[in-house]
Each structure stands twice: as C-alpha cells, then as structure tokens.
Amino acid sequence: MLDGIIGHPFGTTFELKDGQLVKADPPVTAETGKEVEESCSGKDNRELKADDSNQKLTQQDIESMKQKGVTGQEIIQQLVEHSDTFKAKTEFSQAKYLKKKRKKHVFIVTVLKPTARLLIEMLYSKAPDKICNLRVDSLSQILWYGNVHSGINVAVVDSCRGLVVGSILQRMGGCGKIVQLYPGNDLNRYVVDYFDFPKEYKDILFSFPLNKLMDLKSNSKPLTDSSADAVVTPSVAEQMCDMSSHPNDSSLTKLDVEQSCDDTSSNTNGAPVTKTLDVDTGEKLSVENNDSSMDTNDNNASQSKGDHSKLLEKSVKKETEDLHTQSDISTGKKGRKKTEKSEEEKQKEQQQKSRQLEAAKSILLERNIDCLIVASKYHPTPIVMNLLEFMALSRPVVVYSQYKEPLVDCYTALKKSGLAIKLKLTETWFREYQVLPARTHPTMQMTGTGGYLLTFMVVQKR
C-alpha cells in the first residue's frame, strides 16, 4: 500500500483509493469539502435529541457505497442529506459533526519529514511509559538547558528508546561527538532509525557500557597502555565491593553492590580470590586461599587425564570435519559458504563494536565532555556522580526523571559534594489550547505532568 509514496517529496498529500495511496490532484486536506451551505444552520441546540433514528442511512448502506467505490466526500454528503437534525444544529456543531465524519470516511495522508516533535508526539500518544513520560516541552528544555549545538562533545544516558539521542543528533547536524552510556546490554535506541539520518550523522554516535565505567575512573592513561609502569586498577566489581565497605563516603556510589561482591569475593568452591597484575609479564594472576589449595600429585593426575581426553576430542573432531567436508563436496559446498559468510559477518560486527568501544573510551578519557544529559529510568545519583569526573569545568548537566524523589536525592548528593553550582529542580506545566474563531479554550484533556528536570553547572571542588 505504501509503494505509491516512493519518489515523492515530503509534504505530498495522498488519498486512499482501492487499497492504494494515490497522489491527490489537486491537493486536498481533511478540512476541505462543502457538504452544506453556510446559511443552513440553527440558532441553538436546545431542541435537539441524540437518537439513532435521526439518521436514515444505515451502516449496511454505507458499507455498500464503499464497496461500489463511492468517495468519502460523497458518503458525507449522503449522511448530511439523510440527517433530520443537521440543519437545525448551530454552525459550530455542524463543523464539529463534519470533522468527525471526515476522520471516519475520508482517508487522506500527508507524508511529513520525521522530526523530534513529530516522533515524540507519536510515541507519547501510544505508550508514554516507554519513553519515561517524556513530553515535547520537557525535551525542548533538555536541549536548551544542555546547550546542545554543533561541534561539542555530549555524553547521554537515554532510557527513552533513543528519542533523546536522536534529538541531539538532529540538533548537532553531524558535527561533534556523542557518547551514549547504557546499562549492561540494554542498548535500545530504535527510535534513532525513525529519524532516517544520513551516514555522516550516525558516524559521530558512539556507545559505552556503564558497567565498564569504573575501569576508566582514576585512569590517567588510555586503557590500551601496556607499559611496565602502568597504573594497576582493580576491576569494576572489586571497586564496588570497596564502596560497600565505605557506606559513609559520599564520593563512593554503588550499583548492584551485593551481587558484584558475591561474584568476585568467592569462587565455585567458596574460597576468596584476589586478582593481581604481574608487572614483568603483564599477565593477571589469581592467588587463592590456603584452604582451597590442592595436592600436586592430584593436579598432575588430572592434567594427564585431561590431555588424553583432549586428544580423543581432537580425533573425533577431525573425523566429523572430514565427514562434513565430503558432504560439502557432494552438495556443492553451499552450506559451508553460508556458514563462512555468517562467521565473517559476525567478525566484522565484533570488530566494529570494538572500534566503537575504543573510540568512546578515548573521548571519555579526554575528560572534555561539554554536556551531560541523563534521561533514565534508573536512579540518577550514582550515574551522575560517576560521570562528573569526565566533564570539563563550567559545563551544563541536565537530569530528567518522571518522578521527583530521585532528583531530590541527586540534588542533596551534589550539594554535599561541592561539585555543582546553580542547582535548580523544576517542573514544567504545559497545556494545549484550541484556537478557533469564537471558541478558543484549553483542551478538555491534558497530561498531569511532563516529568522533572534537575539542572546545574560543573565546578571544581575546593
């Protein structure tokens, strides 16, 4: 059905005819059409009664007209002619009636260029909880408070399906760098594809997992530095365990501390493991407790058994490979080519991800982020406190949440840390108005809240 719109510019209007979208010539809109004369209207609606008998046309009559190919405008004309109360209605009531019938029977589509405003209105009307109840006025304030413009470095944490990331990309115009930080493997930004950005726009977008952020903290050199005097830093989970042992330290935050400590403090036998780094060889060593040490003879015996099992597995594997090779020769090696192609594609994807990760690392390690935007469904305090280290001074930070309490906690933590000034916690009040001649008034239905914003500037602690 959408094949008819291909090749036409944005803003073209189409009509639905025989299940296909056809360009409207001349262009029409949902407000066009004169089904009634302007003078045929009543003074008021006091004598009108809502009754199905006022309309002589039945639903079966309307369906039969549609099957015969009658246009929507003609159907509306028949509805007006067979209505007993239409001429007695006021002019405003008639316009409201016609607008309602046009939406039902006249199928007109105008193809618009995707923008942040259109996408957020579409997503908010369907499922606002999936975008954290982010409203269009809140999104505009996020971009304004963050001073998002072309040529800057932006760090963003987005739980709104990529809506904030796409809006930043559109504002920056392909100039600058954007690092999206995401929790675990939850890199969900499918809304960015709806913007239909060119390749040069997407080239400035990088991603970095939050669970690897602790590896970058207090690291003055790139992570790829393998020199002998490299700074030895503990792993993420070990640092989280250290945080749990210092609950009163405001500079330390913990994310899933209990689970991380359980994973790193004990191995499968329940014995604690300490990770160290051999400076000479650069290899990681694991030193276990004395309780978990095993006898040397048992180790040698198990090692010899393991060698025999490995030889057996290699022989079996070689035989199976020979069988697969013979089957590939008989079938023209089609299956083997497909598997090799899929493996090559996987390797390319992994290489691309690794390049993206290294590029994001280098951007963060420069510690020259110009703007930090957090619009997350998670508690913002640990995220913000850990990302302030990578920002340049006198740069804006915007934190959005659909609830006020998490932002109050973040406000208090920032106030105690002394790393922020001009702290401001605001709520936007937004209401739509219907603007029509002699009937301008607020819309009858409106949203309760568009979320809360915490804004501040980053400074150096005295």
Side-chain angles (χ1 to χ4, degrees), residues 362-387:
S362 62
I363 296 172
L364 292 173
L365 287 174
E366 290 176 359
R367 289 172 170 80
N368 193 26
I369 299 298
D370 297 310
C371 171
L372 173 61
I373 296 175
V374 179
S376 176
K377 60 184 178 182
Y378 304 103
H379 202 289
T381 304
I383 298 174
V384 173
M385 298 301 293
N386 282 284
L387 289 175

Side-chain angles (χ1 to χ4, degrees), residues 332-342:
K333 298 184 179 180
K334 293 181 180 180
R336 188 176 179 182
K337 288 182 179 179
K338 290 182 180 179
T339 54
E340 288 178 354
K341 186 177 180 181
S342 62

Side-chain angles (χ1 to χ4, degrees), residues 148-163:
V148 178
H149 60 274
S150 177
I152 64 173
N153 298 330
V154 181
V156 57
V157 182
D158 184 7
S159 296
C160 303
R161 302 291 194 261
L163 181 62

Side-chain angles (χ1 to χ4, degrees), residues 299-361:
N299 288 334
N300 294 333
S302 60
Q303 185 177 0
S304 61
K305 291 180 180 179
D307 294 337
H308 289 298
S309 61
K310 288 180 180 179
L311 291 174
L312 183 60
E313 289 177 359
K314 286 182 179 180
S315 61
V316 174
K317 186 176 181 181
K318 186 176 181 181
E319 292 178 359
T320 54
E321 288 179 353
D322 293 337
L323 292 175
H324 285 303
T325 305
Q326 292 177 1
S327 62
D328 289 338
I329 293 173
S330 60
T331 57
K333 298 184 179 180
K334 293 181 180 180
R336 188 176 179 182
K337 288 182 179 179
K338 290 182 180 179
T339 54
E340 288 178 354
K341 186 177 180 181
S342 62
E343 289 177 358
E344 290 178 358
E345 291 178 353
K346 290 180 180 179
Q347 289 179 358
K348 288 181 180 179
E349 290 179 358
Q350 291 178 356
Q351 291 175 359
Q352 185 177 1
K353 288 181 180 179
S354 63
R355 286 194 297 267
Q356 286 265 338
L357 186 62
E358 291 298 326
K361 285 180 183 178

